[in-house]
Amino acid sequence: GRLKIEHPSFNIDVKEHQRPINQTVNAIGKFLENINDIRNRHGFSHPNEDIIEEHEAQFIINLSRALLYYIDSKTNEYSIKI
């Protein structure tokens, strides 16, 4: 939420072809909530009996990497333009 609102690289482009991208970026908040829940309730960060399977864990790791890559590319893109 805060990064998307406050960082200039995340200003919403209202062009029609950007709509699916903007909707996807808006959905990232729910993704982050789910990652937090998985970490807290289904991982090894806290005592848990119901641990997610390896394939699902790898899926979450890969999605997280893609998200971090996207955020890094957007924020570095802005700092280069200054």
Side-chain angles (χ1 to χ4, degrees):
R2 187 173 174 191
L3 179 67
K4 186 176 179 292
I5 293 168
E6 295 182 9
H7 198 283
S9 289
F10 291 95
N11 287 341
I12 295 176
D13 188 344
V14 294
K15 295 175 187 164
E16 185 63 30
H17 72 276
Q18 285 293 106
R19 178 179 282 161
I21 299 298
N22 292 332
Q23 290 171 337
T24 302
V25 170
N26 289 336
I28 289 172
K30 184 62 178 169
F31 170 71
L32 293 174
E33 287 177 24
N34 289 337
I35 286 179
N36 190 47
D37 184 56
I38 291 168
R39 177 189 172 276
N40 290 334
R41 297 179 186 204
H42 305 287
F44 293 113
S45 61
H46 301 289
N48 291 305
E49 292 182 21
D50 186 22
I51 305 297
I52 63 172
E53 299 293 325
E54 183 177 349
H55 287 39
E56 286 73 23
Q58 193 63 50
F59 174 66
I60 296 299
I61 290 167
N62 289 337
L63 286 175
S64 300
R65 285 179 179 162
L67 176 59
L68 290 172
Y69 177 80
Y70 173 73
I71 292 170
D72 187 55
S73 69
K74 291 293 281 186
T75 55
N76 284 333
E77 172 186 285
Y78 180 75
S79 62
I80 292 171
K81 290 180 181 178
I82 292 178

